[in-house]
């Protein structure tokens, strides 16, 4: 039996077929992600190309409004960029940062959680206190602090180039305790089971017991947590960019787009803020819905962080 | 002929808040190659604790207060952690009570068997490990072992799982197998089957030590 057939017979696929919300959110998410991946092919304009931007086109409302033009389906922003293209490219950046930050969190948090949970004692106490300390710093505060230092060191112009890895680092480092705690809790339950003892009797080294034997048993809470954390990371990125600490306006993410239109919202140009905001909500909502579905299927006793 | 295993005056104690509890008080026995030995006693008599102390895996408050465990002339209660790990599962293996619990629920039988082999011999090729695993599964009369290797523990019945655990214990051709009440969790007919299998393997395969349950009729 190959893997595809096995998946078709699995409980995951069975419950997925019967859950309309899950199907709808997966479709929405797939459309958004595919649009983000193939942004250069789909977007009608390239928002990074200064030659395609004409300041005379600025603040044109969406096509269905009275002053709208068919060329710019969702209107233009204050610099004359096509909103639709800019949003697709912005979503691409948001998703890259979200996935990158979650990958960093997961690697750090899972490793720390596995080893701290298995070994216990001082190592456990040290890392869990470190997690408590980390969680008592607001990530916004850390981000403000770090970006201020970084901008002073490399200069504002250079900062734009390293903004993506910087955001991945800030969001990733601030959220690892979520993973560490979840994983540690499952490890504490798993390590008392007899198969762990059997592995020890079979002469396995402790790192092999942790990685080969216990880790696969903690995967389902990790998977559920990851969906929620991707949504959280996308939101954190948007919040940081909105505050002007994230992506610069010439390479905007959804958050910096929302920010750029914020000053104009009372002069009637609502679409510059509202449309990226709507896209952000749809993106985060579809991820969260999928996360809820996964949690119901795997049913771990997990606090939805 | 030197003894394979010699346990001398083994005293195991558990250090508790309220003082020390003696679990075994001066246990001595010896076992030569090819010999079988059964340990009989009420529950709580210290059978399991003695078994764990042989491979130096007493769980926390318990410790060996005095006495020796000589395995081929080496005192296992005093060797380094690396040395004992090399012996565990390689030259001494163990079969547990409950076959429902001792297999990892999320790994296939094949993975669990080949991983054990790789732990003790990292240079072994995948093909070689697979062949050894298949060979051992045939020895414990698992039908169509090629297919079974790709299955998960929940796809097996209790008796089948205990056979697989025996096959895992046989993987590295150990000199000594400690069977800690291997049939407790099984029903009577399957108990008889497993016992017969173990007896048969004793004849054909290797040298065994049995530690068995308190019901004498199965002894």
């Amino acid at each position: 039996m190959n893997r595809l057939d096995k998946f078709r017979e699995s409980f995951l696929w069975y419950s997925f077929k019967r859950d309309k919300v899950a199907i709808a959110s997966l479709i929405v998410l797939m459309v958004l992600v595919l649009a983000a991946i193939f942004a250069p092919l789909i977007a009608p304009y390239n928002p990074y190309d200064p030659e395609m931007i004409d300041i005379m086109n600025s603040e044109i409302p969406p096509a269905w409004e009275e002053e709208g033009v068919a060329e710019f389906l969702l209107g233009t922003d204050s610099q004359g960029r096509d909103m639709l293209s800019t949003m697709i490219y912005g979503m691409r950046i948001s998703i890259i940062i979200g996935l990158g930050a979650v990958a960093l969190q997961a690697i750090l948090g899972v490793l720390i959680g596995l080893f701290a949970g298995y070994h216990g004692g001082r190592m456990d106490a040290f890392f869990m206190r470190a997690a408590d300390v980390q969680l008592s710093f607001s990530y916004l505060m850390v981000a403000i602090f770090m970006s201020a230092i970084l901008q002073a060191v490399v200069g504002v112009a250079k900062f734009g180039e390293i903004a993506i890895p910087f955001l991945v680092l800030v969001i990733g480092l601030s959220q690892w305790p979520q993973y560490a705690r979840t994983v540690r809790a499952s490890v504490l339950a798993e390590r008392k089971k007899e198969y762990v003892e059997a592995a020890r009797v079979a002469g396995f080294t402790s790192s092999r017991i942790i990685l080969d034997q216990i880790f696969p048993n903690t995967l389902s809470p990790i998977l559920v947590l990851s969906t929620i954390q991707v949504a959280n990371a996308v939101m954190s990125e948007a919040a940081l960019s909105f505050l002007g600490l994230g992506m610069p306006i010439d390479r905007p993410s959804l958050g910096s787009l929302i920010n750029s239109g914020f000053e104009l919202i009372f002069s009637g140009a609502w679409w510059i803020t509202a449309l990226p905001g709507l896209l952000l909500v749809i993106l985060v909502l579809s991820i969260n819905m999928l996360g809820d579905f996964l949690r119901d299927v795997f049913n771990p006793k997990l606090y939805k962080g | 002929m030197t003894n394979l295993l010699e346990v001398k005056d083994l005293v195991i104690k558990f250090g508790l808040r309220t003082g020390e509890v003696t679990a075994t008080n001066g246990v001595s026995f010896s076992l030569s190659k090819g010999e079988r030995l059964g340990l009989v006693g009420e529950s709580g008599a210290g059978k399991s604790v003695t078994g764990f102390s042989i491979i130096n895996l007493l769980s926390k408050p318990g410790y060996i207060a005095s006495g020796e465990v000589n395995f081929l002339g080496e005192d296992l209660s005093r060797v380094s952690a690396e040395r004992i790990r090399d012996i565990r599962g390689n030259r001494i293996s163990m079969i547990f009570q409950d076959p429902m619990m001792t297999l990892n629920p999320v790994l296939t039988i094949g993975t669990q068997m080949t991983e054990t082999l790789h732990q003790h011999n990292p240079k072994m090729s995948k093909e070689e490990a697979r062949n050894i695993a298949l060979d051992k599964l045939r020895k414990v009369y698992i039908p169509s072992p090629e297919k079974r290797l790709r299955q998960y523990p929940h796809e097996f019945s209790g008796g089948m799982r205990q056979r697989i655990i025996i096959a895992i214990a046989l993987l590295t051709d150990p000199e000594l197998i400690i069977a800690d009440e291997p049939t407790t969790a099984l029903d009577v007919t399957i108990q008889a089957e497993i016992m017969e299998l173990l007896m048969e393997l004793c004849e054909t395969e290797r040298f065994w030590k049995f530690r068995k349950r308190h019901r004498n009729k199965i002894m």
Side-chain angles (χ1 to χ4, degrees):
Chain A
M1 199 186 341
N2 64 34
R3 275 165 193 275
L4 191 70
D5 286 338
K6 230 172 186 168
F7 178 70
R8 282 220 185 101
E9 282 182 16
S10 70
F11 179 63
L12 183 66
W13 179 243
Y14 172 86
S15 13
F16 181 76
K17 278 188 297 188
R18 275 155 192 78
D19 192 333
K20 291 199 181 84
V21 176
I23 294 174
S25 43
L26 186 71
I27 291 171
V28 170
L29 188 64
M30 288 312 289
V31 168
L32 292 183
V33 169
L34 287 177
I37 292 173
F38 298 108
L41 303 176
I42 290 171
Y45 299 90
N46 180 357
Y48 299 158
D49 184 1
E51 286 181 18
M52 293 183 89
I53 301 169
D54 190 347
I55 193 74
M56 298 305 285
N57 289 336
S58 69
E59 291 177 52
I60 298 176
W64 62 84
E65 295 266 306
E66 242 174 61
E67 293 163 40
V69 289
E71 275 174 74
F72 301 109
L73 194 62
L74 296 179
T76 60
D77 71 357
S78 56
Q79 297 174 42
R81 288 183 297 201
D82 175 43
M83 278 307 290
L84 179 63
S85 316
T86 318
M87 273 161 59
I88 294 174
Y89 274 84
M91 184 172 67
R92 183 184 179 154
I93 289 174
S94 291
I95 291 175
I96 289 172
I97 292 174
L99 291 179
V102 167
L104 182 64
Q105 290 167 19
I107 292 168
L108 265 180
V110 168
L111 282 178
I112 290 174
L114 282 173
F115 281 86
Y118 183 78
H119 287 295
R122 273 192 199 164
M123 189 180 169
D124 185 34
F126 173 76
F127 280 114
M128 287 306 112
R129 291 304 79 73
D132 290 340
V133 170
Q134 177 72 61
L135 283 185
S136 43
F137 282 105
S138 154
Y139 79 95
L140 281 176
M141 196 175 83
V142 177
I144 291 169
F145 203 67
M146 280 173 67
S147 72
I149 294 174
L150 206 63
Q151 287 194 8
V153 173
V154 300
V156 177
K158 267 264 179 72
F159 180 75
E161 289 166 27
I162 57 165
I164 291 181
F166 167 75
L167 286 168
V168 167
L169 203 67
V170 167
I171 300 169
L173 287 182
S174 67
Q175 290 287 309
W176 69 264
Q178 298 283 1
Y179 276 92
R181 285 179 166 181
T182 309
V183 171
R184 177 176 169 269
S186 0
V187 172
L188 288 183
E190 293 296 327
R191 66 182 252 219
K192 295 210 178 69
K193 293 195 178 158
E194 253 184 65
Y195 72 84
V196 176
E197 186 136 49
R200 228 177 278 152
V201 167
F204 281 79
T205 56
S206 59
S207 51
R208 278 195 72 145
I209 294 178
I210 293 169
L211 296 176
D212 293 349
Q213 305 281 327
I214 297 181
F215 174 61
N217 281 292
T218 61
L219 273 179
S220 60
I222 291 175
L223 198 60
V224 174
L225 184 65
S226 294
T227 56
I228 295 161
Q229 287 299 102
V230 170
N232 277 351
V234 168
M235 298 238 286
S236 304
E237 186 280 326
L240 285 173
S241 295
F242 180 78
L243 293 174
L245 299 166
M247 296 307 295
I249 193 62
D250 55 335
R251 282 180 73 200
S253 69
L254 289 178
S256 24
L257 272 177
I258 296 171
N259 180 29
S260 74
F262 194 62
E263 302 149 17
L264 304 165
I265 199 163
F266 295 112
S267 57
W270 55 271
W271 58 91
I272 304 175
T273 287
L275 294 178
L278 191 66
L279 185 61
L280 180 69
V281 170
I282 294 171
L283 178 66
V284 170
L285 191 65
S286 63
I287 298 174
N288 273 336
M289 295 287 210
L290 271 183
D292 276 353
F293 161 74
L294 284 180
R295 196 193 43 184
D296 290 346
V297 172
F298 294 134
N299 191 26
K301 299 160 196 99
L302 186 77
Y303 171 72
K304 192 181 156 198
Chain B
M1 188 179 166
T2 55
N3 283 332
L4 180 70
L5 179 76
E6 213 175 296
V7 175
K8 268 192 228 154
D9 291 324
L10 186 68
V11 180
I12 298 166
K13 287 185 175 171
F14 283 78
L16 302 176
R17 227 174 341 126
T18 47
E20 291 198 322
V21 176
T22 309
T24 65
N25 199 353
V27 174
S28 300
F29 55 86
S30 66
L31 187 71
S32 52
K33 289 192 179 182
E35 207 179 359
R36 298 193 296 265
L37 178 82
L39 235 63
V40 187
E42 301 160 12
S43 88
K47 306 182 295 293
S48 296
V49 167
T50 309
F52 277 110
S53 71
I54 292 170
I55 46 173
N56 210 347
L57 264 181
L58 281 175
S59 48
K60 251 294 155 70
Y63 64 99
I64 297 175
S66 65
E68 312 180 354
V69 180
N70 283 317
F71 178 71
L72 293 170
E74 210 173 347
D75 186 357
L76 293 188
S77 59
R78 281 176 187 80
V79 295
S80 69
E82 275 112 72
R83 181 84 187 105
I84 188 81
R85 199 181 297 128
D86 203 40
I87 291 171
R88 265 182 221 151
N90 197 9
R91 302 176 63 189
I92 304 179
S93 58
M94 196 158 172
I95 301 169
F96 285 94
Q97 295 181 1
D98 190 349
M100 302 300 182
M101 305 289 293
T102 34
L103 291 168
N104 194 328
V106 297
L107 299 177
T108 60
I109 301 303
T111 314
Q112 298 192 42
M113 295 183 88
T114 48
E115 266 182 10
T116 309
L117 284 166
H118 277 294
Q119 176 69 42
H120 294 290
N121 188 356
K123 286 187 213 103
M124 187 179 282
S125 74
K126 274 196 176 143
E127 200 49 44
E128 208 178 328
R130 206 179 108 87
N131 286 336
I132 294 176
L134 284 175
D135 178 49
K136 301 300 176 192
L137 285 181
R138 279 190 203 105
K139 285 224 165 78
V140 295
Y141 304 111
I142 299 282
S144 54
E146 287 88 357
K147 195 181 122 205
R148 291 301 196 171
L149 270 186
R150 288 193 300 272
Q151 293 188 327
Y152 290 89
H154 70 263
E155 297 174 82
F156 291 84
S157 70
M160 290 272 259
R161 283 192 223 184
Q162 197 62 301
R163 283 162 198 270
I164 284 160
I165 291 165
I166 293 170
I168 291 176
L170 290 174
L171 274 177
T172 51
D173 296 321
E175 278 120 321
L176 175 70
I177 294 183
I178 303 167
D180 183 3
E181 307 195 14
T183 59
T184 307
L186 306 170
D187 59 58
V188 183
T189 44
I190 307 296
Q191 279 182 4
E193 258 177 50
I194 294 286
M195 288 312 296
E196 251 168 55
L197 174 69
L198 284 172
M199 290 302 190
E200 182 194 326
L201 290 167
C202 284
E203 310 285 313
T204 57
E205 280 286 306
R206 279 275 155 181
F207 323 101
W208 293 68
K209 176 205 169 217
F210 264 141
R211 203 149 39 71
K212 273 296 305 142
R213 42 191 322 177
H214 41 272
R215 273 210 258 143
N216 280 337
K217 73 176 180 205
I218 289 188
M219 271 315 301

PDB file of all heavy atoms in Angstrom, chain A residues 113-126:
ATOM      1  N   GLY A 113      12.241  21.601  24.761  1.00  0.00           N
ATOM      2  CA  GLY A 113      11.182  20.884  25.463  1.00  0.00           C
ATOM      3  C   GLY A 113      11.489  19.400  25.609  1.00  0.00           C
ATOM      4  O   GLY A 113      11.290  18.811  26.665  1.00  0.00           O
ATOM      5  N   LEU A 114      12.011  18.783  24.527  1.00  0.00           N
ATOM      6  CA  LEU A 114      12.305  17.353  24.573  1.00  0.00           C
ATOM      7  C   LEU A 114      13.375  17.047  25.609  1.00  0.00           C
ATOM      8  O   LEU A 114      13.201  16.183  26.475  1.00  0.00           O
ATOM      9  CB  LEU A 114      12.796  16.869  23.205  1.00  0.00           C
ATOM     10  CG  LEU A 114      11.760  16.639  22.105  1.00  0.00           C
ATOM     11  CD1 LEU A 114      12.447  16.341  20.793  1.00  0.00           C
ATOM     12  CD2 LEU A 114      10.838  15.489  22.474  1.00  0.00           C
ATOM     13  N   PHE A 115      14.487  17.783  25.537  1.00  0.00           N
ATOM     14  CA  PHE A 115      15.603  17.450  26.419  1.00  0.00           C
ATOM     15  C   PHE A 115      15.298  17.846  27.865  1.00  0.00           C
ATOM     16  O   PHE A 115      15.599  17.081  28.787  1.00  0.00           O
ATOM     17  CB  PHE A 115      16.901  18.086  25.908  1.00  0.00           C
ATOM     18  CG  PHE A 115      17.493  17.302  24.779  1.00  0.00           C
ATOM     19  CD1 PHE A 115      17.099  17.522  23.472  1.00  0.00           C
ATOM     20  CD2 PHE A 115      18.404  16.292  25.030  1.00  0.00           C
ATOM     21  CE1 PHE A 115      17.614  16.777  22.421  1.00  0.00           C
ATOM     22  CE2 PHE A 115      18.932  15.530  23.991  1.00  0.00           C
ATOM     23  CZ  PHE A 115      18.535  15.778  22.694  1.00  0.00           C
ATOM     24  N   ALA A 116      14.675  19.020  28.054  1.00  0.00           N
ATOM     25  CA  ALA A 116      14.349  19.431  29.418  1.00  0.00           C
ATOM     26  C   ALA A 116      13.352  18.459  30.042  1.00  0.00           C
ATOM     27  O   ALA A 116      13.499  18.057  31.197  1.00  0.00           O
ATOM     28  CB  ALA A 116      13.781  20.851  29.421  1.00  0.00           C
ATOM     29  N   GLY A 117      12.357  18.068  29.258  1.00  0.00           N
ATOM     30  CA  GLY A 117      11.335  17.168  29.792  1.00  0.00           C
ATOM     31  C   GLY A 117      11.889  15.795  30.117  1.00  0.00           C
ATOM     32  O   GLY A 117      11.537  15.189  31.119  1.00  0.00           O
ATOM     33  N   TYR A 118      12.788  15.303  29.257  1.00  0.00           N
ATOM     34  CA  TYR A 118      13.295  13.957  29.472  1.00  0.00           C
ATOM     35  C   TYR A 118      14.296  13.909  30.614  1.00  0.00           C
ATOM     36  O   TYR A 118      14.236  13.025  31.463  1.00  0.00           O
ATOM     37  CB  TYR A 118      13.954  13.440  28.186  1.00  0.00           C
ATOM     38  CG  TYR A 118      14.442  12.012  28.310  1.00  0.00           C
ATOM     39  CD1 TYR A 118      13.542  10.963  28.222  1.00  0.00           C
ATOM     40  CD2 TYR A 118      15.776  11.733  28.539  1.00  0.00           C
ATOM     41  CE1 TYR A 118      13.971   9.661  28.344  1.00  0.00           C
ATOM     42  CE2 TYR A 118      16.217  10.428  28.668  1.00  0.00           C
ATOM     43  CZ  TYR A 118      15.308   9.392  28.572  1.00  0.00           C
ATOM     44  OH  TYR A 118      15.731   8.107  28.699  1.00  0.00           O
ATOM     45  N   HIS A 119      15.218  14.857  30.636  1.00  0.00           N
ATOM     46  CA  HIS A 119      16.258  14.800  31.660  1.00  0.00           C
ATOM     47  C   HIS A 119      15.782  15.308  33.012  1.00  0.00           C
ATOM     48  O   HIS A 119      16.240  14.839  34.046  1.00  0.00           O
ATOM     49  CB  HIS A 119      17.490  15.572  31.207  1.00  0.00           C
ATOM     50  CG  HIS A 119      18.243  14.853  30.131  1.00  0.00           C
ATOM     51  ND1 HIS A 119      18.858  13.653  30.346  1.00  0.00           N
ATOM     52  CD2 HIS A 119      18.440  15.148  28.825  1.00  0.00           C
ATOM     53  CE1 HIS A 119      19.422  13.245  29.212  1.00  0.00           C
ATOM     54  NE2 HIS A 119      19.162  14.120  28.272  1.00  0.00           N
ATOM     55  N   GLY A 120      14.861  16.282  32.995  1.00  0.00           N
ATOM     56  CA  GLY A 120      14.353  16.803  34.253  1.00  0.00           C
ATOM     57  C   GLY A 120      15.441  17.484  35.061  1.00  0.00           C
ATOM     58  O   GLY A 120      16.482  17.865  34.542  1.00  0.00           O
ATOM     59  N   GLY A 121      15.187  17.624  36.333  1.00  0.00           N
ATOM     60  CA  GLY A 121      16.208  18.141  37.239  1.00  0.00           C
ATOM     61  C   GLY A 121      16.620  19.570  36.938  1.00  0.00           C
ATOM     62  O   GLY A 121      15.798  20.404  36.584  1.00  0.00           O
ATOM     63  N   ARG A 122      17.914  19.823  37.043  1.00  0.00           N
ATOM     64  CA  ARG A 122      18.420  21.186  36.906  1.00  0.00           C
ATOM     65  C   ARG A 122      18.233  21.742  35.515  1.00  0.00           C
ATOM     66  O   ARG A 122      17.905  22.903  35.330  1.00  0.00           O
ATOM     67  CB  ARG A 122      19.912  21.201  37.225  1.00  0.00           C
ATOM     68  CG  ARG A 122      20.145  21.366  38.688  1.00  0.00           C
ATOM     69  CD  ARG A 122      21.589  21.661  38.936  1.00  0.00           C
ATOM     70  NE  ARG A 122      21.887  21.381  40.319  1.00  0.00           N
ATOM     71  CZ  ARG A 122      23.097  21.246  40.807  1.00  0.00           C
ATOM     72  NH1 ARG A 122      24.133  21.354  40.014  1.00  0.00           N
ATOM     73  NH2 ARG A 122      23.277  20.999  42.079  1.00  0.00           N
ATOM     74  N   MET A 123      18.480  20.875  34.515  1.00  0.00           N
ATOM     75  CA  MET A 123      18.354  21.316  33.129  1.00  0.00           C
ATOM     76  C   MET A 123      16.922  21.793  32.860  1.00  0.00           C
ATOM     77  O   MET A 123      16.700  22.858  32.284  1.00  0.00           O
ATOM     78  CB  MET A 123      18.687  20.129  32.237  1.00  0.00           C
ATOM     79  CG  MET A 123      18.816  20.475  30.788  1.00  0.00           C
ATOM     80  SD  MET A 123      19.196  18.959  29.920  1.00  0.00           S
ATOM     81  CE  MET A 123      18.983  19.512  28.254  1.00  0.00           C
ATOM     82  N   ASP A 124      15.981  21.000  33.322  1.00  0.00           N
ATOM     83  CA  ASP A 124      14.567  21.333  33.172  1.00  0.00           C
ATOM     84  C   ASP A 124      14.257  22.650  33.867  1.00  0.00           C
ATOM     85  O   ASP A 124      13.666  23.560  33.276  1.00  0.00           O
ATOM     86  CB  ASP A 124      13.741  20.191  33.786  1.00  0.00           C
ATOM     87  CG  ASP A 124      12.270  20.386  33.562  1.00  0.00           C
ATOM     88  OD1 ASP A 124      11.907  20.923  32.510  1.00  0.00           O
ATOM     89  OD2 ASP A 124      11.489  19.984  34.441  1.00  0.00           O
ATOM     90  N   ALA A 125      14.701  22.775  35.108  1.00  0.00           N
ATOM     91  CA  ALA A 125      14.421  23.981  35.887  1.00  0.00           C
ATOM     92  C   ALA A 125      15.010  25.200  35.185  1.00  0.00           C
ATOM     93  O   ALA A 125      14.345  26.236  35.053  1.00  0.00           O
ATOM     94  CB  ALA A 125      14.996  23.841  37.294  1.00  0.00           C
ATOM     95  N   PHE A 126      16.240  25.053  34.680  1.00  0.00           N
ATOM     96  CA  PHE A 126      16.898  26.182  34.025  1.00  0.00           C
ATOM     97  C   PHE A 126      16.100  26.651  32.808  1.00  0.00           C
ATOM     98  O   PHE A 126      15.777  27.832  32.668  1.00  0.00           O
ATOM     99  CB  PHE A 126      18.318  25.790  33.612  1.00  0.00           C
ATOM    100  CG  PHE A 126      19.006  26.830  32.775  1.00  0.00           C
ATOM    101  CD1 PHE A 126      19.517  27.979  33.360  1.00  0.00           C
ATOM    102  CD2 PHE A 126      19.115  26.672  31.403  1.00  0.00           C
ATOM    103  CE1 PHE A 126      20.137  28.940  32.592  1.00  0.00           C
ATOM    104  CE2 PHE A 126      19.734  27.649  30.624  1.00  0.00           C
ATOM    105  CZ  PHE A 126      20.242  28.777  31.215  1.00  0.00           C
TER     106      PHE A 126
END
